[in-house]
Amino acid sequence: MKALLIIDDDTTSQIASFYLKPLGMDIIRYRDPLKALDNLDEILPDAIIMSARDFPRHWKPIVVNIRSQYSKSDCVIVLLKGTFFPFEEAAKAAHLGVNGVIREALDDPLERTRFQQLFKRYVQVDEARITDRRPLTTWDKLDFIFSHPQTLAPISGCIETISSSGLSMKPDHPSLCSDLEPGTVIEDADLRIDKAVVSFTCTLIRRGAILAFSFDGMPENDRKLLLQYLAATPERQMKALIQQTS
C-alpha cells in the first residue's frame, strides 16, 4: 500500500511517516502539491495525507481534483490542520470528501489514535500492525540505550512508544545527541526486554525533544521476541492486579 504525503514541513512529514510505516505503508512525499497531482495516476495512492497548514489556499482545489478521480473508499484523504482551523473549513472538508481532519500534533496519543482509526476504517491494513505501536505501561520492563556514532557516549532515556518496528524515546540528556540528524545509522543499540538484552543497529528517523528510531537492523528472532513480549502485556497486567488484590 502507498501513502502520499503532501507536506512541506519536514518535522510533520517525519512524524507522519513514523506512524504510517508500522501499518505497512510505503511512503511517497511531495512538497509541491501540483507535482503530486501530476503524478497521481503513476503513484496510485491508497491514502493521501495533506497539510492544510502548509497549503491553506491550495488544499480545497487539490481535494476536488483528487475526488474527481478517486472515491473515499478508493483513496483515503486525511487533512492535517494547524492551530487555527475554523469550523467552516472543517465543514468544507467534509463536503468535499475528506475522510478525516486531525491536528498535526501526531505525537499526541489521542491524535495518533484518531489517525490510525481512520486507516482502520477505510484501508485494509494488518490489524496486528495497527495496534502494534503503543505507549509503555507500568507492566513493561523495557529499556533502550545507544552509543553516539561519533563520541561513543552512552545515551539513555525514557521510552515513550514502542512496536516491533521502532520506538520513540525522551533522552535523559538531550545535549548528548542534539547533533544527530534523521537518517543517522546507530551501530550500537541495546534493548532490554524483561530479562533479555538484544543488540542491533537502528536508524534515527526523528530528532528533537523526542527521538524516534526504526529497528531496520534488528534480527528477526529478536523482533519476534519483542512482538511476543508486547502482545503479552494484558496478561502481565492481569497478574499484577491479581497480586495486588490477594
Side-chain angles (χ1 to χ4, degrees), residues 126-140:
D126 188 340
E127 180 71 18
R129 302 190 81 164
I130 293 176
T131 57
D132 195 10
R133 189 175 304 282
R134 62 168 180 75
L136 238 63
T137 72
T138 56
W139 301 278
D140 295 321

Side-chain angles (χ1 to χ4, degrees), residues 23 33 40 83 85 89 173-174 185 200-201 213 224 243:
L23 306 183
L40 204 60
T83 54
F85 195 78
E89 292 289 272
H173 303 287
V185 175
F200 53 93
T201 62
F213 297 88
K224 289 180 180 179
Q243 291 176 355

